[in-house]
Amino acid sequence: MDNVRIGIVGCGAIAQVHHAPNLKELWHLYDLNSVCDVSARAAAHVAARFDVPAHFTDYAAFLASDIEAVVFCQTDPKTDYVLQALDAGKHVFVEKPVCFNLDEISAMVSAQERAGVVGQAGYMKVYDPAFEVVAAEAADMDVRFVQIHHLHPTNDLHLAQFDVQRFDDVPAAVIQETVAARRAALVHALGTAPPDGVARAFFLLSGSMIHDLYGLRHIMGVPTRIHNVDIWQEGRAVTFQVEYANGARCNGTWIDLPDLWDFKETLEVCADDKRVTLKYPTGFSRGQLSEVTVQEIDANGTMVARTPAIDWASAFIREMQAFHGCIREGRECRTPLSEVHHDVGLIINLIKSHLGNG
C-alpha cells in the first residue's frame, strides 16, 4: 500500500485520544511524520508518545517537513492554517468545526480547487456503521418527523478515562489572538456582536451539535424553513424546529448538563409505520458502539422491534481510511469541504432567527 505521509496540527485531547493513535494503528495507510502545536511541550509529548519523528511549534517549518497531508484538530479558528496548507499543495482533513462563516469556507474550497487536492471535513458520524444502517433504513421511509436530542456533560468527565496530558506553556499572546479571532469570525458570520449567551450557543452549535446537523443533512437534505429557535440558560441550551422539502419537520435539542455522567445523543427518524432510533456514545470514547433500534409493523400486523448488529469498526478509523482512499485512489469524498457551507449557513440562520433578523 502507498502510505500517505501525514502530519497533525493540534496536540490536545482529540489528537491524543483519537487521531494520533488511529494514524499509528493505520500503519499500512499512513506514515505519521510530524506534529505541530503552539505548546512546545504538547508537541514534544505527542511526538514521543506516538513515536513521531518530528515536532514543531513553527507552522511554516511543519509545512515544509516530509508531509503531503495534514489533520487539523487545534483550537479554532483553523481557517488561516488550512489556507496555508492548501496553498502549499497539501491534502487537508479539517476537524469540526471547520470554520464559523461562509466567507471562510468559500476561501477554503477555492484554495482546494486551485491546489487540486483532497479536502475532507471531520464529520466522523457519517462513517459510523450505525449511522449507515439508519441512513439505509430512512431511504425507504416516507419520513414525517425527525428528532435529535443531545444531553451533553462536560467532556472532562469522559476524558478522565484517558491519559490526556495538558500543558501550560502556550504564550499568553497566542491565547489572546485566538480569542480575538474567534470573536471576529462570529461577528463576521452574524454581522453584529451578539449577547454573550447567544455567542455561547453559536459556538456549541458549531462545535458539538454540528454532528447532529450534518447527519440530518445526509438523511433529510437541507432544511427549507426554520420555524422557531429558542436559546436559554444563558446559551447553555438550544431548541429549534426546521422543515424539509417533503414537509417533514425536525425538533432539535442541545442541553448542557455539565455534571451528569450519562452522555445522551439520539436521532429518531419516524414515518407513519416505522421508527428508527440511533443512540451515539460520547465522541471521547474508544470501543463503544452506537446502537440502532427499528420499530415497525410486520406483514402480520404485529409491532416488532429489531436491533441490527453493528460493525465494530471505529468511525474515526473509517474516516481516515476514506481520506486515504480519496488521496491515493481518487475516491469521491463523502464529507467534502465543498458541502460544509450548508451546515455553517444553517447555524448562522438559526442564530439569526433567534435574534429576529433571520
Side-chain angles (χ1 to χ4, degrees):
M1 184 66 72
D2 187 5
N3 281 23
V4 171
R5 304 183 309 280
I6 198 164
I8 295 175
V9 177
C11 294
I14 196 66
Q16 294 181 42
V17 173
H18 282 299
H19 289 306
N22 289 347
L23 288 170
K24 298 301 287 190
E25 183 175 334
L26 294 171
W27 57 269
H28 57 299
L29 300 181
Y30 291 99
D31 294 330
L32 179 54
N33 286 351
S34 304
V35 295
C36 182
D37 199 286
V38 292
S39 164
R41 292 172 62 196
H45 168 75
V46 169
R49 180 174 173 181
F50 296 103
D51 193 25
V52 182
H55 60 90
F56 301 88
T57 57
D58 183 325
Y59 182 60
F62 166 81
L63 283 182
S65 68
D66 186 24
I67 56 173
E68 55 188 310
V70 182
V71 173
F72 291 92
C73 54
Q74 76 272 37
T75 301
D76 306 292
K78 307 180 183 80
T79 302
D80 288 345
Y81 294 93
V82 174
L83 291 176
Q84 291 179 58
L86 290 168
D87 289 343
K90 312 297 184 184
H91 304 284
V92 299
F93 175 97
V94 189
E95 260 296 352
K96 59 81 186 172
V98 173
C99 62
F100 296 121
N101 62 62
L102 294 174
D103 286 341
E104 288 178 332
I105 189 58
S106 177
M108 287 187 197
V109 173
S110 295
Q112 178 197 343
E113 291 174 348
R114 289 194 303 270
V117 295
V118 176
Q120 181 170 320
Y123 285 178
M124 46 79 65
K125 292 196 186 298
V126 170
Y127 302 89
D128 187 324
F131 179 85
E132 293 178 341
V133 169
V134 171
E137 293 280 353
D140 296 328
M141 295 169 60
D142 180 14
V143 178
R144 303 287 300 277
F145 176 68
V146 184
Q147 181 167 260
I148 50 178
H149 193 53
H150 202 143
L151 306 182
H152 202 296
T154 178
N155 286 326
D156 288 344
L157 290 175
H158 301 124
L159 285 174
Q161 310 304 305
F162 299 93
D163 179 17
V164 175
Q165 297 297 309
R166 295 181 171 91
F167 302 92
D168 60 1
D169 61 331
V170 178
V174 172
I175 297 174
Q176 293 170 359
E177 290 170 5
T178 300
V179 172
R182 281 171 60 89
R183 186 69 177 178
L186 167 66
V187 172
H188 186 96
L190 301 180
T192 187
D196 288 346
V198 175
R200 176 184 286 181
F202 175 88
F203 288 121
L204 74 82
L205 287 170
S206 300
S208 180
M209 202 172 193
I210 186 69
H211 286 303
D212 306 294
L213 299 180
Y214 70 67
L216 280 172
R217 173 170 57 80
H218 274 258
I219 291 175
M220 298 295 298
V222 178
T224 57
R225 182 180 176 187
I226 296 173
H227 283 277
N228 57 71
V229 182
D230 194 14
I231 296 173
W232 39 296
Q233 289 191 356
E234 299 180 336
R236 294 175 49 210
V238 177
T239 56
F240 63 82
Q241 184 181 87
V242 297
E243 183 175 335
Y244 294 91
N246 69 342
R249 295 194 184 189
C250 171
N251 288 345
T253 303
W254 194 103
I255 309 291
D256 176 32
L257 300 172
D259 300 320
L260 183 65
W261 167 261
D262 186 28
F263 176 94
K264 183 176 182 179
E265 182 180 4
T266 58
L267 165 66
E268 292 183 80
V269 183
C270 303
D272 286 347
D273 57 353
K274 183 177 179 179
R275 178 171 66 184
V276 183
T277 303
L278 170 58
K279 296 181 180 179
Y280 293 110
T282 172
F284 285 113
S285 65
R286 293 181 67 88
Q288 291 185 318
L289 300 182
S290 300
E291 301 174 4
V292 177
T293 302
V294 181
Q295 297 169 291
E296 58 189 335
I297 304 293
D298 68 10
N300 298 319
T302 303
M303 173 62 71
V304 296
R306 50 189 170 90
T307 54
I310 302 302
D311 191 277
W312 286 13
S314 159
F316 285 97
I317 289 282
R318 295 185 77 215
E319 68 179 347
M320 298 312 300
Q321 291 170 326
F323 188 45
H324 182 277
C326 294
I327 295 171
R328 286 292 185 255
E329 301 172 32
R331 295 181 185 176
E332 183 178 358
C333 184
R334 294 171 60 189
T335 54
L337 293 182
S338 59
E339 294 182 357
V340 170
H341 70 279
H342 293 301
D343 313 310
V344 174
L346 176 57
I347 290 168
I348 292 170
N349 289 334
L350 287 170
I351 296 296
K352 286 185 173 181
S353 178
H354 172 76
L355 292 172
N357 57 359

